[in-house]
Amino acid sequence: MSVDGNRRRKNASAMKMIGGLLGTFRKAAGYTQRSLAHEVLVDEETIASIEQGRRMLKEDLAHTLDNVLETKGALAVAVTHMPEVDLFPRWAEEYIDLEREALALSWYDNQVLPGLLQTPAYARSVFLNEVPALTEGEIEQRVAARIARQKVLQRAVPPSISFIISESVLMDRLGGDGVYREQVRQLREWSDLPGITVQVMPVGRDFHAGLAGPFILIETPDHQRIAYVEGQRRGWLIADPDEVSVLERKYAMLRTQALNPRETRGLLDRRLGEP
């Protein structure tokens, strides 16, 4: 797939085919997009986007639609056998879409620098650490896709973004000293942009609210609050308000424990001054 904001996926034609099937089944059953959306408890825009091939039909919704439209499991089978997404796993697609449109993002990471802040060379070093190893072509495609995601920072009205990064991430030198210095310099430049807040969580704290691992908080254009967490081989979107609230409180505590933005810029300057 291409790496622009409307990135093409390997399965783009399959998505359009499934969307076409849904539209045909919907009309045959006598539903409008609005009435079907009401029946299956989703937004009308969701149905429209799926039918136009702009949004992937998720397996749980496919089963629901099959039941409502009495299509004998046809949509669920189509989704199950859809070709894999080229660059983003199917479970990450919805997060990527939310990230692109978000009003606000709050991002905590203690493993690597957030993807939205990575230089191409640093991103390449991250993918070189994948096990099993990726091919050279796969690495280059993934780097391009990751860097393309940074266009969200260049929107006419960019999102408000807060990053909290563990200092341990800055202690690693993925790719070697040259890659490291370029990345820290880029991070220092990002930290000066309006609408972006970068804070470093120092090592050696006697209390740490983020020990359970990285997570991202998302505010959507309709002001819904969603969280995203990712582990080995899997990621999860969390929409339950109680669960999202827990992570929001964790993030609020992390902001008080981390260096403030001015102190963070000072730390980055000192690292750039190291031999």
Side-chain angles (χ1 to χ4, degrees):
M1 71 185 159
S2 73
V3 294
D4 60 15
N6 297 313
R7 63 194 188 287
R8 295 180 181 177
R9 307 175 181 88
K10 187 176 182 178
N11 66 352
S13 59
M15 289 172 62
K16 290 181 180 179
M17 180 197 70
I18 290 174
L21 283 176
L22 174 57
T24 299
F25 292 151
R26 171 181 59 76
K27 293 172 185 175
Y31 285 92
T32 64
Q33 290 181 343
R34 177 173 296 180
S35 63
L36 181 58
H38 179 76
E39 184 70 23
V40 298
L41 304 177
V42 299
D43 295 333
E44 181 180 354
E45 174 60 23
T46 297
I47 298 297
S49 294
I50 293 170
E51 290 189 1
Q52 293 164 16
R54 294 188 291 108
R55 177 176 295 189
M56 182 179 294
L57 176 59
K58 305 299 182 182
E59 292 180 10
D60 55 349
L61 180 56
H63 286 291
T64 300
L65 288 165
D66 278 329
N67 289 332
V68 170
L69 300 174
E70 299 182 354
T71 46
K72 301 183 183 345
L75 292 171
V77 169
V79 169
T80 299
H81 294 284
M82 180 182 290
E84 287 294 324
V85 175
D86 242 350
L87 301 180
F88 299 114
R90 288 172 62 181
W91 45 262
E93 279 290 297
E94 192 169 358
Y95 167 74
I96 298 296
D97 290 338
L98 288 168
E99 179 186 85
R100 189 189 308 115
E101 300 174 357
L103 288 181
L105 293 166
S106 299
W107 192 318
Y108 167 65
D109 215 315
N110 61 357
Q111 300 295 326
V112 295
L113 287 173
L116 292 183
L117 299 178
Q118 293 180 10
T119 65
Y122 183 93
R124 191 173 195 281
S125 299
V126 171
F127 290 125
L128 280 169
N129 279 272
E130 286 282 346
V131 178
L134 300 173
T135 67
E136 185 66 23
E138 289 172 330
I139 290 172
E140 294 309 317
Q141 284 185 317
R142 294 191 186 196
V143 169
R146 176 158 294 180
I147 300 308
R149 285 169 52 198
Q150 295 175 1
K151 288 186 177 181
V152 69
L153 304 176
Q154 301 162 1
R155 286 182 351 206
V157 181
S160 298
I161 308 185
S162 167
F163 296 99
I164 300 176
I165 305 159
S166 173
E167 186 180 10
S168 61
V169 173
L170 298 175
M171 293 177 174
D172 289 332
R173 292 179 176 253
L174 298 182
D177 289 346
V179 171
Y180 172 81
R181 289 187 61 78
E182 179 192 35
Q183 177 61 75
V184 175
R185 188 177 298 110
Q186 179 67 76
L187 184 58
R188 179 64 178 83
E189 292 176 7
W190 285 127
S191 71
D192 280 332
L193 291 181
I196 295 180
T197 301
V198 179
Q199 293 178 255
V200 169
M201 181 68 174
V203 297
R205 290 294 201 224
D206 58 7
F207 185 83
H208 195 309
L211 295 179
F215 60 91
I216 303 169
L217 300 170
I218 308 153
E219 183 179 357
T220 69
D222 59 357
H223 305 294
Q224 183 181 8
R225 297 183 181 276
I226 298 172
Y228 178 73
V229 296
E230 190 170 302
Q232 295 281 346
R233 309 292 299 161
R234 186 70 208 179
W236 296 266
L237 283 170
I238 301 171
D240 182 291
D242 292 335
E243 294 297 320
V244 174
S245 174
V246 170
L247 292 174
E248 287 180 330
R249 284 178 280 167
K250 283 180 180 286
Y251 199 85
M253 182 63 73
L254 283 166
R255 294 196 76 169
T256 70
Q257 296 170 338
L259 300 178
N260 65 36
R262 179 181 57 78
E263 293 168 334
T264 294
R265 288 191 290 270
L267 182 147
L268 294 174
D269 287 340
R270 289 192 297 275
R271 288 197 169 273
L272 286 171
E274 292 177 355

